[in-house]
Amino acid sequence: MSDPVQELKDFKPRKEFFVGIDSDGCAFDSMEIKHKECFCPQFIYHFGLQSVSKYAREVWEFVNLYSKNRGCNRFMAIQYATELLAARKEVKDRHAEVPVLKDLADWCKRETKLGNPAFLAEVERNPSDEMKMIKAWSLGVNETIAWFVKNVPPYPLVEESLQKMTEKADALVVSQTPTEALEREWGEHGIDKYVRMIAGQERGTKTEHIRFAAGGKYPAEKILMIGDAPGDYKAAKANNALFFPINPGHEEASWEKLYNEGLDRFFAGTFAGSYQEELLREFDQYLPEKPGWN
């Protein structure tokens, strides 16, 4: 992708409606396996957290699976996780050293495309020990996912929902997963044919994906984001778009509801208002802001 953002800006409507769909934890039941078997072990290994592995795992899973930060970008997640871990009494009592990620925090403030290509370029410019450690972690995560995460199908009714939505809508994958992994996973299960483009972390934030691809091209009431994390809702809200939540732990029921009534309401113009408000009230109950150990 010579200019991945420009490709989003050049996206032209073919149909009346636009639908953005998150991937991990939303279309695919892949969040648990990726974070528990790939991200977290690499986190413990590369950050030297073996002496507090129990607490490192608990923190990582809270940040990425069981809190309102669920689904956030990996470079933001590593900051949240190290900060939470360093603050834990059990970690302090064991005199464990948790790295302070100042260089990463500075880079995240400057950069919007928080993906590996931009990060690797930054490491070339700033090859500090901290940045080289994070590079090894991020590349290790990608390698582990590539060989470990296989045969994880979409949730039931995902393909049927894609078929139904693409009769009237242009569909786009909106994700913070690397594009290579997204293309492999959507292609493995033959559902990439339903989407016009797969937008991963290299194309910017989810908010930018929607803004560049759909903003000013479709009426706001004809733009829908489907996601499983508060960040997905924030991306929709930032673009005045509608949002349908895939509730964590209740994904099958959510897709059934989307297929049986949500899409029909969206296309009929009866989604906004009380229907969406009720969906959001239920969604907000599933993920806490603060960890239980506090």
Side-chain angles (χ1 to χ4, degrees), residues 163-175:
Q163 290 173 334
K164 186 173 184 176
M165 73 179 65
T166 53
E167 291 175 3
K168 298 182 179 181
D170 294 312
L172 180 83
V173 176
V174 174
S175 174

Side-chain angles (χ1 to χ4, degrees), residues 218-235:
Y218 306 80
E221 69 274 11
K222 295 185 178 181
I223 302 173
L224 176 69
M225 176 66 189
I226 302 168
D228 66 301
D232 300 321
Y233 170 59
K234 290 177 183 177

Side-chain angles (χ1 to χ4, degrees), residues 54-84:
K54 171 184 176 180
Y55 305 107
R57 181 172 292 278
E58 191 173 30
V59 164
W60 187 266
E61 292 178 5
F62 172 77
V63 168
N64 291 282
L65 297 173
Y66 310 129
S67 76
K68 288 195 178 342
N69 287 314
R70 173 186 170 94
C72 67
N73 176 275
R74 68 173 63 185
F75 296 111
M76 301 304 297
I78 203 74
Q79 294 179 73
Y80 299 149
T82 51
E83 290 168 4
L84 274 177

Side-chain angles (χ1 to χ4, degrees), residues 62 65-68 70 228-230 233 243 245-250 277-290:
F62 172 77
L65 297 173
Y66 310 129
S67 76
K68 288 195 178 342
R70 173 186 170 94
D228 66 301
Y233 170 59
F243 180 69
I246 303 300
N247 294 321
H250 301 267
E277 289 167 6
E278 180 57 34
L279 292 173
L280 292 174
R281 276 194 293 271
E282 182 182 0
F283 179 56
D284 188 58
Q285 298 173 3
Y286 287 102
L287 297 171
E289 289 186 16
K290 297 180 180 180

